[in-house]
Amino acid sequence: MTAGGSSPVRTVIIGAAGRMGGQLLRCMPEFPPLVLQGAVVEAGHPALGKDAAALAGAEPAGVVVTAALLPLLASANLVIDFSNPAVAAEHVTACAQAQVPLLMGTTGLPDGFDAHLKDASRHIPIMAVANTSLGVNLLLQLVRQAARQLPPGYDIEIVETHHRGKRDAPSGTALALGRAAAEGRGVDFEQRAVYDRHGITNPRDPQTIALVSMRGGDVVGEHEVRFLGNGERLLLSHSATDRVVFARGALTAGRWLAAKTPGRYEMSDFFDDNS
């Protein structure tokens, strides 16, 4: 069931007690007609039974945190999921069966997950995005364009930095940037990606796309794509200083997605619709 116009878009947040879940709950009042329909966490979580908005430090909204997703889908118009990659496939299947649009912001998704998205896209509008920052998604387009237009003699190196607690490396955003660069060059990213250099190495293969991960402190997220040529360097970068940019991007894109017809959508589709 999709929604559009000024009608309320009844929204369910999965991963409501996490960092992104809290940001989404705090920011949602900025994004009419989105209204909180439900807040979901895993079974046994200490947030169960609490007011979702109050848990996030916002004004109480009368929506109690639950572990039961399915009952909420019967009256929902949109689901935004920033939770656990281990159960992401279950969430995709549930939303497809209930015909509720889904924006999936969970990272670290398992191999083969694309098949779940493809199947669900026949029934609902769905978007799975590694980074919901509007700035990062514009960066993806710029990287794709630079890789397409610069000659092969420009080596591509991607450097990402995140806080010490981040579990996956490289980040989902760094991988997305690598794939954008590979797409621009017309090559297979999986065959060209390099993740490790140790000891004595051979000269750099100009066909590769290298990714470097750094972890430390409380860095929200920094990404830089370097096109290194002879005599010049092109640096394209993005720095996030507050996670609120991801929440606002997700809510902006989710509000747009809720009014679309079934299909697989990217943030580039959102930009095209709003250019």
Side-chain angles (χ1 to χ4, degrees), residues 89 109-119 179 264:
L109 297 171
D111 293 339
F113 192 80
D114 200 67
H116 295 289
L117 300 174
K118 183 177 180 181
D119 182 62
R179 293 189 178 99
R264 180 82 176 272

Side-chain angles (χ1 to χ4, degrees), residues 69-108:
L69 172 63
L70 293 180
L72 299 173
L73 296 179
S75 55
N77 305 117
L78 173 68
V79 170
I80 300 178
D81 185 357
F82 282 86
S83 60
N84 189 334
V87 292
E90 298 175 23
H91 299 162
V92 170
T93 299
C95 289
Q97 291 177 346
Q99 296 187 320
V100 180
L102 170 65
L103 188 150
M104 173 70 67
T106 304
T107 60

